[in-house]
Amino acid sequence: MASVLRTILVDADAESITTLRRVLASSHAAVIVREFPAVGQALLEGPSRNPDLLIVEISREVVAQGAEAATRVIENLSEALPNTAILATGPAVPADVVVRLIRAGAVEFLSRPLERADIQAALDKLARFHRRGRAPHRVVLGVTLVFSTHGGLGV
């Protein structure tokens, strides 16, 4: 039997929670183990739940405070839950903010309103990594740069 992603929801929006519940209930990839209306509660109680996945809302208020505030939310969650994949959701933001969220530890960012197909695609991707025994956001890559002592290429 395939393993199931133990999931925590951190969201204050009733419509989004309903959508997430429906998608997760119809998916055999994840099960909700706890729901929190605020990030602070998830930081305190989340680690004891040992989740595989945390779906967190980056609220309009946090986004309005700037990219640093949104990034800090993800960084704090990544520190508190180092073995948990973080899927962030929120209002549409510029691409550079999405990149910063992913660099801070999120594996995916979904713009609101949440679409069933987007959530399912993200869950499928995370379930594939989970079955393989690795978390996609914890992969460490290296870059090797080689400089030639001679000018020009191909010489």
Side-chain angles (χ1 to χ4, degrees), residues 20-21 29 37 48 54 66 68 73 77 81 90-91 128 137 139 155:
L20 288 167
R21 284 180 185 155
S48 67
L54 184 135
E68 293 79 24
V73 168
L77 289 167
L81 300 158
R128 280 193 310 274
H137 67 297
V139 176
V155 179

Side-chain angles (χ1 to χ4, degrees), residues 21-105:
R21 284 180 185 155
R22 283 186 188 141
V23 173
L24 293 172
S26 67
S27 170
H28 299 291
V31 62
I32 299 170
V33 294
R34 188 74 162 92
E35 294 180 19
F36 299 104
V39 172
Q41 290 176 299
L43 287 170
L44 292 173
E45 298 179 40
S48 67
R49 301 291 178 165
N50 196 25
D52 300 306
L53 172 63
L54 184 135
I55 302 174
V56 62
E57 170 195 23
I58 306 296
S59 68
R60 289 190 187 282
E61 294 79 19
V62 171
V63 171
Q65 293 174 20
E68 293 79 24
T71 302
R72 242 186 338 271
V73 168
I74 300 300
E75 288 171 343
N76 291 340
L77 289 167
S78 289
E79 285 179 25
L81 300 158
N83 297 317
T84 301
I86 299 171
L87 191 152
T89 69
V93 294
D96 65 313
V97 175
V98 173
V99 169
R100 289 178 72 170
L101 293 174
I102 290 172
R103 287 181 179 160

